[in-house]
Amino acid sequence: MALWVLVVGLVLFLGVHSVRIVAEPWRQAQIARLGAQRWKGLYSLVSALGLGLIVWGYAQARLDAAPLFYLPHGMATGMRHLVALLVLVAFWLLVAVYVPRNHLKAAVKHPMVLAVKVWALAHLLVNHTPVDLLLFGGFLVWAVLNFRAARRRPVSVPAGTLQGTALTLLIGTLAYAATALWVHQAWLGVAPLRAAGA
């Protein structure tokens, strides 16, 4: 049951976030028909529902999932340290979406999608059950396709400043620490920083 909840959540969340990739004319038609605010409301509602199903479905389905393979102990320890660094970078990119005039957004143009790509890849390096492959693999494929499509669309991003970049790195690091130390364990029962130090 939990696995199907996860699948439905992924279909809803990634589906609504793929409309711009595969059906931009239809999206524009719906915005014109419904109005921008109503479209955004429906978009946000479906996204929130999908995300909620993903979180609950994954948290339950992973309890009975067996790894497809195991890394050697030395490699596994090093991989966890690499993953901790990659997820920190993902948090910086995520925060770069919202902090004005930072060098990360100026450089990559689409930091949100790149953050998802880095986050998904990092988690695939240390999570090897079929449930992990479904969740993180699904997000990784979506992020690769979305990033490719987004880079084809012209976008103007203001030049970064030292202040904007420093603020991005500070907020991203604090959000990463809070998630790694408390939120991740509260949601999934896993403390990633303690695992990385093992």
Side-chain angles (χ1 to χ4, degrees):
M1 177 63 181
L3 183 61
W4 285 109
V5 171
L6 173 59
V7 170
V8 172
L10 286 169
V11 169
L12 290 175
F13 188 84
L14 297 182
V16 75
H17 284 83
S18 299
V19 171
R20 197 165 188 178
I21 304 174
V22 299
E24 178 62 14
W26 180 84
R27 173 180 172 273
Q28 292 295 337
Q30 299 313 304
I31 293 174
R33 183 173 67 88
L34 299 172
Q37 292 304 314
R38 192 173 177 190
W39 167 260
K40 289 178 181 177
L42 290 172
Y43 183 95
S44 298
L45 181 62
V46 174
S47 296
L49 176 60
L51 183 60
L53 293 175
I54 288 171
V55 171
W56 187 88
Y58 177 73
Q60 298 302 311
R62 68 185 293 274
L63 296 177
D64 300 320
L68 297 171
F69 62 91
Y70 293 92
L71 296 174
H73 178 70
M75 181 182 293
T77 301
M79 196 67 74
R80 286 194 293 268
H81 285 89
L82 173 61
V83 167
L85 177 60
L86 288 175
V87 174
L88 174 59
V89 172
F91 269 87
W92 289 341
L93 290 166
L94 181 63
V95 173
V97 177
Y98 304 102
V99 176
R101 301 183 68 87
N102 65 82
H103 286 96
L104 292 178
K105 187 171 184 177
V108 303
K109 311 298 185 191
H110 305 282
M112 174 74 78
V113 183
L114 188 56
V116 173
K117 187 191 298 188
V118 174
W119 167 83
L121 175 61
H123 280 75
L124 279 175
L125 294 176
V126 290
N127 296 283
H128 307 129
T129 72
V131 176
D132 298 320
L133 183 61
L134 176 63
L135 174 63
F136 303 117
F139 269 96
L140 181 58
V141 170
W142 172 85
V144 168
L145 295 176
N146 199 332
F147 193 70
R148 182 188 304 172
R151 289 181 68 87
R152 296 195 191 106
R153 298 191 296 268
V155 60
S156 177
V157 179
T161 64
L162 182 60
Q163 180 180 357
T165 303
L167 188 59
T168 297
L169 298 180
L170 175 61
I171 295 173
T173 301
L174 292 175
Y176 166 80
T179 301
L181 291 172
W182 298 294
V183 177
H184 200 281
Q185 185 169 17
W187 278 7
L188 299 171
V190 176
L193 288 185
R194 282 201 287 271

